Amino acid sequence: MRLLIVEDNEELAGLLAKGLKAAGYESDILSTVAEADSVLDTTFYAALILDLGLPDGDGLALLREVRSRNNPIPVLVLTARGGLNDRVQGLRSGADDYLVKPFALEELVARLEAQLRRPGQLLGNSLRIANLEFDTRNRQASIDDQPQALSAREIAVLELLMRSKGRVVSKKQVEDHLFGHSGEVGSNAIEVYVHRLRKQLSERGARVQVHTIRGVGYLIAEQT
Ligand code: CA
């Protein structure tokens, strides 16, 4: 799972990335609202760790922008501002949780994991494309409201694609999602899982298509 840290304090960002890595999460670090805005528009991250005081603007503005695009990414806000007003404003802007600096890394990881365990809450519990629905509570896929039995790997790939609806998921992200970043994976293993999922969906009449975007990754969309 890959996380995005948006924090302009290099030292803190580095410590966070290191601590998260020790807990099993890869992360990318960005330091401005502008960079984060454009990257979040095109790249799937499992969660966003967001500082509020950034050199080119307020993290809350970024958060509102992200939510206005219906991006359901879990967001954990980091801030030095501990006042109640800021906290309320942060949550109103679409933050899922809030940590006031300084905080213990263990607490950050615990809060993050709580968010990752209950994803999809902003869009309700169900993700839908055409006649394909994915319930994030019980990780059940349905086609025309009929529950489908899929393998654990197929479900995992489908969930990642559905959560990233409208955005391209890289092969590496699929790999991290299925095997963690430590796993040794055969070079065409991901293609095999995507191929199997595509076949299952097509045979069962889902009106969706899993596109391969050569050299970039995969994208699920309504069949045209
Ligand atoms: Ca800052």
Side-chain angles (χ1 to χ4, degrees), residues 148-177:
Q148 303 293 317
L150 296 170
S151 75
R153 292 265 154 89
E154 288 158 1
I155 286 285
V157 174
L158 179 63
E159 180 173 24
L160 181 62
L161 291 170
M162 293 288 277
R163 285 185 188 288
S164 315
K165 183 175 150 183
R167 282 169 292 156
V168 177
V169 178
S170 74
K171 201 167 150 183
K172 180 73 171 70
Q173 283 163 345
V174 180
E175 188 181 314
D176 286 353
H177 187 67

Side-chain angles (χ1 to χ4, degrees), residues 126-134 142 144-145 162 165 208:
S126 150
L127 305 166
R128 177 179 276 277
I129 301 176
N131 61 344
L132 172 66
E133 191 176 3
F134 189 87
S142 303
D144 289 325
D145 300 319
M162 293 288 277
K165 183 175 150 183
V208 300

Side-chain angles (χ1 to χ4, degrees), residues 7-9 51-55 101:
E7 165 63 74
D8 62 319
N9 179 328
D51 180 33
L52 291 189
L54 294 164
K101 295 176 189 174

